[in-house]
Amino acid sequence: MFDMDSLFKKSELIPAIIQEDSTGEVLMLAYMNKTSLQKTIDSGYTWFWSRSRQEYWNKGATSGHVQRVISICADCDDDTLLIKVEQTGAACHTGSHSCFFKKIV
């Protein structure tokens, strides 16, 4: 069993990269604390900590654009998560499928 405490030794928040399982497309980046990660594991759907609102949010709870968790992996340093999901609808609040649509180069 993975020691979840190892993820939060450096900070109480950890970045979570959300990736579409079927295509590999990166959909978004959000932050989790220990409670939101546990809610995600328990429910099978993504939960995050909103740094701006200082509250938990369940992705898609109001829009219906939910993220069903396929897998959760930690990186080699235990300070970033990669969460593969089955995305329903748009991942971005703008209506775009991915939050990464503003091409710079």
Side-chain angles (χ1 to χ4, degrees):
M1 183 76 179
F2 185 79
D3 175 22
M4 194 183 321
D5 289 335
S6 67
L7 298 171
F8 300 96
K9 287 183 179 176
K10 296 175 186 172
S11 174
E12 64 184 38
L13 292 177
I14 187 169
I17 300 164
I18 310 303
Q19 182 180 40
E20 180 86 64
D21 183 59
S22 63
T23 65
E25 181 180 16
V26 175
L27 300 176
M28 57 182 281
L29 179 130
Y31 290 86
M32 292 182 151
N33 61 19
K34 197 180 297 187
T35 301
S36 61
L37 177 55
Q38 191 61 58
K39 285 175 171 272
T40 297
I41 292 167
D42 292 345
S43 70
Y45 290 86
T46 54
W47 282 82
F48 304 106
W49 177 255
S50 171
R51 297 178 300 162
S52 59
R53 295 187 313 269
Q54 294 290 295
E55 65 183 16
Y56 294 101
W57 57 285
N58 175 223
K59 180 66 177 165
T62 55
S63 67
H65 298 171
V66 296
Q67 296 173 335
R68 187 175 68 81
V69 174
I70 304 299
S71 66
I72 302 173
C73 295
D75 75 337
C76 58
D77 294 323
D78 283 346
D79 62 6
T80 305
L81 297 173
L82 176 63
I83 303 177
K84 294 186 178 184
V85 301
E86 178 184 280
Q87 177 70 46
T88 299
C92 186
H93 73 281
T94 65
S96 180
H97 186 70
S98 168
C99 292
F100 297 97
F101 58 88
K102 296 179 180 180
K103 188 168 181 172
I104 294 172
V105 178

